[in-house]
Amino acid sequence: MTEKFRPLAFLIILLLFVQSVISEFPLAPALYVFGDSLFDSGNNNLLPTFAKADFKPYGINFNGGATGRFTNGKTVADFIAEFLGLPFSPPYLSLRGSIKLTGLNYASGSCGILPETGNIIGKCLHLSEQVDLFQRTVEKELPKQYDDPEELSSYLSRSIFLISTGSNDYVNNYLQQNFYDKSKHYSPESFAKLLIDALSQQFQRLYRLGARKVIMFEIGPIGCIPSLTKQLKHNGLCAEEYNNLAVIFNNQLSDMLKNLTSTLRGSALILGHAHWLGFDAVTNPSTYGLMDLIGPCCITWANGTSACIPELLPCRNAEKHYFWDGYHLTETVYRVIATKCFNGTDVCIPKNIKELVED
């Protein structure tokens, strides 16, 4: 080998060694994921629902193609798995046989915290059902891997739990007055409390099942998504009336997480303070390398307000777009959220994930 190529060969060998070390010694033993279509990695593929993303152009920038992720590439959960040195958490409903568990994904598109949310378009897994499936995992699957209860407890306490849910309870419930009556019976404050109380119960269930390190993401600026902005009269880029609904929920969420952290011994419940980041990307797009903040990258039904139309080519510069379809963000935005949550100081608080796994 010539002197010219020796440094390059050494660098390649070093990188391969580092990658093998990372995969062999991840920062956490597992990543468990709960939520809606922002995190769904394929569970809805196996459910009788219209909320699916198992066709092109979804996944056009993802190594596995159209897997059921509601975006062009990786989700926040995928990026965090990579940062932890873990494989992507596979969708629970695709689990076959006994495998070494480094996490699972229970998230389900169109669903939310309340059982009825999203059921007008088919069957999905609401949060309580997702926790039911995690309970089955703890009681049936994990004992095959950890026959010592103390070892299992240690595994769960060191694992990372990601949750992103609640936006569908507004978009697919509270704001759908033709199908649901929640807005007639609940003020914005009382509806948020209804959601937070139900969410708190699921957090306590997860704690009893062994979860200790949990990140819950806020509801993003729902008043900015094309499915609403393209149908409603509003001033500016976003419908602030709907963003305010998310703010009310997020404020109560912050208080709930602080209260539970103080009462659930040994727990660390982290707030994914992503609402401001999402809104900041809308108001200061150049900071994030974005250009198109209004229209979706893929061609959708209903004039840019819905899901991608199957097999039609999307825009060429997805990395410059904020929205992928009428509801969901592009991989570019998800990468920013995940990176700032993992090692930043202003998204995941009071600790980022890197600090969380070191505790």
Side-chain angles (χ1 to χ4, degrees):
M1 182 181 294
T2 65
E3 293 294 331
K4 180 180 178 180
F5 293 105
R6 280 178 181 171
L8 178 59
F10 175 77
L11 180 59
I12 293 173
I13 293 171
L14 179 61
L15 288 174
L16 291 173
F17 173 75
V18 170
Q19 289 177 346
S20 67
V21 169
I22 290 174
S23 61
E24 186 177 353
F25 300 102
L27 298 179
L31 176 67
Y32 288 95
V33 182
F34 303 80
D36 51 32
S37 56
L38 298 180
F39 281 179
D40 190 348
S41 61
N43 283 309
N44 273 29
N45 296 353
L46 301 170
L47 293 172
T49 175
F50 288 107
K52 293 182 183 292
D54 56 348
F55 54 87
K56 295 178 181 179
Y58 290 105
I60 196 168
N61 300 116
F62 189 76
N63 189 40
T67 59
R69 289 166 169 82
F70 289 76
T71 184
N72 61 307
K74 299 171 187 173
T75 67
V76 169
D78 294 328
F79 281 113
I80 289 177
E82 286 186 337
F83 298 158
L84 290 170
L86 291 168
F88 298 150
S89 301
Y92 175 87
L93 295 184
S94 69
L95 188 64
R96 297 292 181 271
S98 181
I99 61 173
K100 180 176 173 60
L101 289 180
T102 55
L104 286 169
N105 187 316
Y106 305 89
S108 179
S110 80
C111 254
I113 299 168
L114 300 179
E116 69 271 20
T117 293
N119 61 13
I120 56 175
I121 57 176
K123 169 62 182 172
C124 57
L125 303 173
H126 58 76
L127 185 59
S128 179
E129 290 177 313
Q130 294 177 33
V131 178
D132 288 344
L133 295 177
F134 175 66
Q135 181 172 348
R136 183 184 301 175
T137 302
V138 172
E139 295 175 351
K140 303 294 185 181
E141 295 299 326
L142 287 174
K144 300 174 185 176
Q145 187 171 319
Y146 298 98
D147 54 6
D148 181 352
E150 290 188 6
E151 189 179 1
L152 174 57
S153 177
S154 174
Y155 160 88
L156 290 169
S157 68
R158 291 179 293 114
S159 294
I160 300 297
F161 293 76
L162 287 184
I163 304 174
S164 178
T165 189
S167 60
N168 284 329
D169 292 289
Y170 288 94
V171 177
N172 290 338
N173 189 331
Y174 194 71
L175 299 178
Q176 297 290 338
Q177 298 179 10
N178 292 332
F179 300 98
Y180 298 98
D181 62 356
K182 285 292 190 294
S183 61
K184 299 176 184 178
H185 301 288
Y186 292 90
S187 67
E189 290 77 11
S190 62
F191 185 68
K193 186 177 186 306
L194 175 71
L195 296 178
I196 293 298
D197 287 346
L199 184 61
S200 176
Q201 294 300 314
Q202 300 311 315
F203 269 85
Q204 292 176 65
R205 286 185 64 197
L206 287 173
Y207 178 84
R208 290 193 295 269
L209 290 167
R212 294 296 181 269
K213 299 180 178 183
V214 185
I215 299 97
M216 170 71 191
F217 285 93
E218 292 177 330
I219 294 178
I222 57 176
C224 299
I225 61 177
S227 63
L228 292 180
T229 59
K230 287 178 171 290
Q231 298 184 68
L232 303 170
K233 292 182 179 181
H234 58 89
N235 296 319
L237 290 173
C238 304
E240 293 306 324
E241 176 185 357
Y242 298 107
N243 281 342
N244 290 336
L245 293 175
V247 170
I248 292 170
F249 172 89
N250 293 336
N251 288 339
Q252 293 191 29
L253 172 64
S254 177
D255 292 339
M256 184 266 283
L257 293 178
K258 291 175 183 176
N259 291 335
L260 285 183
T261 297
S262 65
T263 57
L264 300 178
R265 184 179 178 183
S267 67
L269 307 182
I270 307 301
L271 176 66
H273 189 40
H275 183 93
W276 78 266
L277 179 61
F279 190 75
D280 188 55
V282 171
T283 53
N284 300 292
S286 60
T287 304
Y288 304 89
L290 300 171
M291 293 177 62
D292 192 321
L293 308 170
I294 300 174
C297 178
C298 75
I299 302 172
T300 81
W301 307 104
N303 188 33
T305 63
S306 190
C308 300
I309 298 176
E311 303 302 326
L312 294 186
L313 290 176
C315 66
R316 294 182 179 179
N317 56 342
E319 73 281 359
K320 300 292 185 181
H321 277 249
Y322 188 100
F323 293 104
W324 173 247
D325 60 14
Y327 299 95
H328 307 99
L329 311 182
T330 59
E331 179 186 75
T332 296
V333 182
Y334 290 145
R335 180 188 290 107
V336 172
I337 295 171
T339 302
K340 287 182 174 289
C341 178
F342 191 81
N343 54 29
T345 59
D346 50 5
V347 172
C348 284
I349 53 178
K351 297 178 182 178
N352 60 37
I353 297 178
K354 188 176 180 181
E355 294 168 333
L356 186 62
V357 297
E358 292 172 351
D359 286 350

